[in-house]
């Protein structure tokens, strides 16, 4: 969602800074810089998994995750959350053509619901998934395969995955999707998306319906963004 259909605007980094500071990591310190580099490199991954890597023990990871969610929720509640231009129309076009759409995220269900509520998007997709709904988050294929099962899609080759991070691309590849499209509206650049296995690199999600429409009818069916 963030960076693909929803404008991020640096919210993840701002919420991370608040969480890190609460755990004693001062902004501008070498530790903070190294941690922020890791957060940027792993955009799209389950946030609790990121914090487990950064802070080691489970108690500190949970503290960081709780602080991150509170900071992110506050930013959303303050109005710092908006759809990317044309994203809602693109989702509508996909669904109108008979393609089922699942919105996936590396955030928790609470954060995902906060975003959906802020945007009025509860009915915009056929399905919304977070890592806890599927077992593991990105870069594992669990959310994509869960979407396949819940939408009664017949074949992994009928899946199109679209995202803004290298982990989105790796997830799509691992799930066997025929279309793994990177967008340039979020965290990672063309080179990172291509290196991670993107079959297409798009300016934004607004280009996805045309890409899916260009694929033979038996090779696409579920758009996962």
């Amino acid at each position: 969602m963030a960076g693909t259909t929803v404008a991020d605007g640096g919210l993840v980094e701002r919420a991370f800074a608040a969480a890190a500071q609460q755990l004693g990591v001062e902004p501008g310190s070498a530790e903070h810089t190294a941690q922020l580099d890791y957060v940027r490199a792993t955009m799209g991954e389950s946030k609790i998994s990121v914090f487990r890597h950064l802070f080691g023990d489970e108690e500190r990871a949970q503290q960081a995750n709780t602080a991150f969610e509170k900071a992110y929720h506050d930013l959303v509640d303050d109005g710092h959350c908006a759809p990317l231009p044309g994203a809602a129309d693109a989702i509508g076009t996909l669904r109108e053509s008979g393609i089922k759409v699942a919105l996936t995220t590396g955030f928790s269900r609470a954060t995902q619901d906060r975003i959906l509520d802020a945007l009025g998007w509860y009915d915009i997709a056929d399905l919304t998934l977070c890592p806890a709904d599927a077992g593991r988050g990105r870069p594992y294929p669990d959310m994509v395969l869960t979407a396949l099962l819940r939408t009664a899609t017949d074949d992994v080759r009928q899946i199109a995955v679209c995202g803004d991070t290298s982990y989105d691309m790796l997830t799509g590849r691992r799930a066997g999707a025929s279309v793994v499209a990177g967008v340039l509206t979020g965290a990672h650049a063309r080179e990172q998306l291509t290196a991670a296995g993107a079959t297409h690199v798009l300016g934004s999600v607004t280009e996805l319906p045309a890409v899916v429409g260009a694929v033979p009818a038996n090779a696409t069916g579920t758009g996962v963004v």
Side-chain angles (χ1 to χ4, degrees):
M1 292 177 66
T4 304
T5 56
V6 181
D8 174 60
L11 299 189
V12 168
E13 292 188 15
R14 290 169 65 182
F16 165 74
Q21 189 165 15
Q22 187 164 320
L23 270 76
V25 181
E26 290 300 321
S29 67
E31 183 180 12
H32 181 274
T33 299
Q35 290 187 347
L36 184 56
D37 286 343
Y38 183 81
V39 169
R40 289 169 175 161
T42 58
M43 284 288 190
E45 185 178 357
S46 169
K47 293 300 175 280
I48 184 60
S49 296
V50 172
F51 288 126
R52 284 175 179 141
H53 175 88
L54 292 177
F55 294 105
D57 67 85
E58 185 67 17
E59 182 177 355
R60 282 172 57 79
Q62 291 293 343
Q63 288 174 353
N65 193 61
T66 297
F68 173 88
E69 289 189 357
K70 182 182 184 307
Y72 199 95
H73 293 178
D74 287 346
L75 289 166
V76 170
D77 292 346
D78 287 342
H80 301 288
C81 181
L84 282 166
D89 288 341
I91 294 169
T93 298
L94 290 167
R95 295 184 74 190
E96 287 167 10
S97 68
I99 295 172
K100 294 179 180 178
V101 176
L103 294 178
T104 66
T105 184
F107 293 136
S108 70
R109 169 54 60 184
T111 302
Q112 186 176 39
D113 284 348
R114 203 74 161 231
I115 295 169
L116 294 170
D117 185 57
L119 300 180
W121 272 17
Y122 273 110
D123 298 321
I124 198 171
D126 297 278
L127 182 66
T128 62
L129 293 171
C130 67
D133 296 324
R136 297 173 298 179
R138 305 183 191 103
Y140 300 102
D142 300 29
M143 286 194 289
V144 175
L145 297 178
T146 297
L148 176 142
L149 293 171
R150 293 194 186 180
T151 58
T153 300
D154 296 334
D155 191 322
V156 293
R157 291 169 295 181
Q158 293 176 294
I159 298 173
V161 171
C162 183
D164 68 302
T165 73
S166 58
Y167 274 14
D168 289 306
M169 304 301 96
L170 184 54
T171 292
R173 283 297 197 178
R174 287 177 170 179
S178 61
V179 172
V180 181
V183 295
L184 300 176
T185 51
H188 291 160
R190 178 183 297 273
E191 293 75 18
Q192 292 166 288
L193 298 170
T194 301
T199 61
H200 301 73
V201 178
L202 313 177
S204 77
V205 73
T206 60
E207 298 174 28
L208 182 62
V211 170
V212 171
V215 175
N218 64 352
T220 187
T222 298
V224 180
V225 297

